[in-house]
Amino acid sequence: MKKSDRYNIGILIGGVHTYFPKEHIRGITEAARELNVNVCFFLGTQTKDFFEDLLGGTHKDSFDYQFKTIHDYSLIGGLDGLIINYGTLGLQLKNETAERFALKFNSIPTVFLTEIVHSPNCHSLICDNKNGIHMVMEHLINEHHCRKILFVAGPSQNTDANERKNTYLERMAAHNLPVTPQMIAQGDYSEFVDRQVQHLLDDNPDAQAIVFANDEMAFSGYRVCEQRGLKVGKDILITGFDDCERASGMEPPLTTVQQDGVLMGKMAVYDLIAKLDGSEVLSRRVPVSLCVRESCGCQEKIPEIRSTPVNLTEQIHKLNRTITNMKLELINFQRKSWFILSLARNLNDCMDDEYAFLLSAMENMRELRTKCTYLFLLDEPVIYHQNDEWISPQNLRLAAYYRDEETAAFHLYDRQPVNAENGICQLMADNDRHQFMVFLLFSGEKQYGLLACDIQPEEFPFFYVISLQIGLSLHYLEISKVEVLRRQEMSRDLELVRERNRELGLISKYDELTGLLNLRGFTEQIKNFCSKSEHQRAYIICADLDHLKEINDTWGHPAGNFALRSVANIFNGCLRSQDIVARTGGDEFLILLNCQEKNFQDIFRKRVRDACAAFNAESGKPFLVEVSLGITEFKPSPETDIPAIIEHADKDLYEAKKLRKNSVRRP
């Protein structure tokens, strides 16, 4: 062992909802505690079988294929050694051999469980499958004189399953017993192989016995036989392999091959630590024994049956312990299941704030009394379709954690990256020993990261559901982020539209040449003025630039534009800020004055005439800028007939224009 640091060992394991992987986990957990090493379980599971059994058909929306990717995250785990339960992972790795898989991970010392590999830096631990099936077949043939024995095989890519199937074929051949393809069914090690067993019995109505490659599939055999009215142990004999916790409690008790999964898990840890300490460790097989019970036709009371490795009292105690533990797990799960609703609600309340979302997730882990929890997120979700080539992401970061009664979360720019030099275990390291269960966070085809919880193995089912809920909530958070961005874009677009409308409003109300109001703008202003300035004295002034045509024709349109702008400036100089002036046509202007002086017409005419003279004295142009004015006094009110007043002023302008000069050319 290292003197200063604990070893960090990783466990790649799938099928953790089934019996034997759970036994391996128990053994690994006990050995890790005894040897004071840190453990990270990279967990995979399969839900498809459960859905199919529950729904009675193929579950098309299963995303179990995502679980085959979690083992790649161990490559950035910061691990010293690795235990690979390939027998469970291989069910998902249909296109990858054990040898190729081993080469991917053999940069560190590796122990393969339930698989034989010959890669450097790896060695294997596998049960004695051949001897186990050999004992079963000899017992059925010699003790029960069976001749028509059927076989339900495990996954074709699994070494345990292949060895068991091959031994079945060898023993049948050794006794000159015929085997046809219809006598063998292809199973998957799950309890849900009912259809395969149905077909097997349909094709072989005279079958005397069925040998199952593991206990889980044998339970399916019990169920099918009961449906057909066949009594197990009398009408047909059934055997299994593993001696799982339910085997002795079946009716009748299941004859099986006992292999010690807990022992195998412990051996794997001890072998790996020995390798890390520099010792040479060889591959080996774990011994098995035949556990004879009533499903093969034997009776417990027969004294000459001595193959059972534990006596009946010990079996009863084992079964009682199993039942008690299962009840406690169920009660605990039921109590905690209410928490899932609270978790979903708490996380959904934070959909507009990722930082608050992360803190809420860690607060919930604190309430669940995990020893500590770490949440690792990808910078961007990875979309992984079932038939795509998997490429392990390189942008995983520590996003939040709960430890020592403290919760913390980090914004994206503050998150520490996970890489080969600064791995998952290093980011979770402290002075305590830990046993992390690492769950993949995904929703449908999108992966979001990992959730690592320091919990006991029996808590796995509940926290597996928790991880599914967090994955779903991360999906909703992503959608919420997209919606926020869309709303921001829409807000920016809306503000841009408003700004353009304001610009269009200005354009529609103002004269581009002079900057004065145009007719539309003047009309709106005078209407507003009349509605608010009732019974006051006011004046409407119509004005024309004298001889604009002469200026344009003689000196060009730029000169005419100059003259028009000059008139606008002259009027602005003669008016107050509250007065309104507009250019309403080519050479036409309108002015609104609010003035209490009587006979203001003559005063204003003189003011404009003097302003024009002053301008002409300084302009240096070969023409004069002069205007004619028509002025009408009125008292504004909401009922004021504005067009009539403008018409009256325009008539006065017409009379004034008769007095203008014949030309604006300078003398």
Side-chain angles (χ1 to χ4, degrees), residues 377-383 393 395 412 447-449 478 481:
L377 294 180
L378 299 167
D379 291 348
E380 294 291 337
V382 172
I383 299 176
N395 58 348
L412 179 61
Q447 287 189 22
Y448 294 94
E478 180 194 5
K481 286 181 181 178

Side-chain angles (χ1 to χ4, degrees), residues 282-301:
L282 301 177
S283 297
R284 49 182 169 163
R285 288 185 177 270
V286 181
V288 298
S289 57
L290 182 62
C291 184
V292 176
R293 300 190 182 107
E294 297 174 30
S295 71
C296 69
C298 291
Q299 300 295 321
E300 288 285 352
K301 63 183 180 181

Side-chain angles (χ1 to χ4, degrees), residues 508-546:
S508 66
K509 295 179 183 180
Y510 285 85
D511 173 55
E512 185 177 359
L513 177 64
T514 62
L516 301 177
L517 289 172
N518 59 21
L519 179 59
R520 178 184 173 185
F522 183 83
T523 302
E524 290 183 7
Q525 293 281 0
I526 195 171
K527 286 181 179 179
N528 184 56
F529 172 77
C530 289
S531 66
K532 296 179 180 180
S533 305
E534 194 169 357
H535 306 308
Q536 298 181 19
R537 180 179 287 107
Y539 296 89
I540 285 287
I541 302 170
C542 289
D544 267 6
L545 169 63
D546 290 344

Side-chain angles (χ1 to χ4, degrees), residues 84-87 97-103 110-120 122-130 157-164 166 264 282-286:
I84 300 177
N85 192 323
Y86 189 82
T97 65
E99 296 294 340
R100 286 179 57 191
F101 192 77
L103 289 173
T110 303
V111 176
F112 265 72
L113 283 181
T114 66
E115 184 61 53
I116 299 172
V117 294
H118 304 285
S119 298
C122 299
H123 85 280
S124 302
L125 271 176
I126 191 169
C127 82
D128 195 348
N129 296 294
K130 297 179 181 180
Q157 69 273 26
N158 181 272
T159 296
D160 280 337
N162 288 331
E163 287 189 346
R164 294 169 194 180
N166 291 336
M264 184 178 286
L282 301 177
S283 297
R284 49 182 169 163
R285 288 185 177 270
V286 181

Side-chain angles (χ1 to χ4, degrees), residues 576-618:
R576 302 162 300 178
S577 60
Q578 66 266 33
D579 297 329
I580 300 170
V581 59
R583 180 190 175 208
T584 58
D587 59 355
E588 299 169 356
F589 296 82
L590 279 175
I591 300 170
L592 171 64
L593 291 172
N594 181 10
C595 180
Q596 298 304 312
E597 293 186 48
K598 292 182 178 181
N599 302 317
F600 183 71
Q601 296 93 323
D602 294 336
I603 297 173
F604 187 74
R605 283 192 174 94
K606 183 177 186 305
R607 185 183 298 172
V608 171
R609 191 166 50 251
D610 291 345
C612 288
F615 172 81
N616 290 324
E618 301 291 337

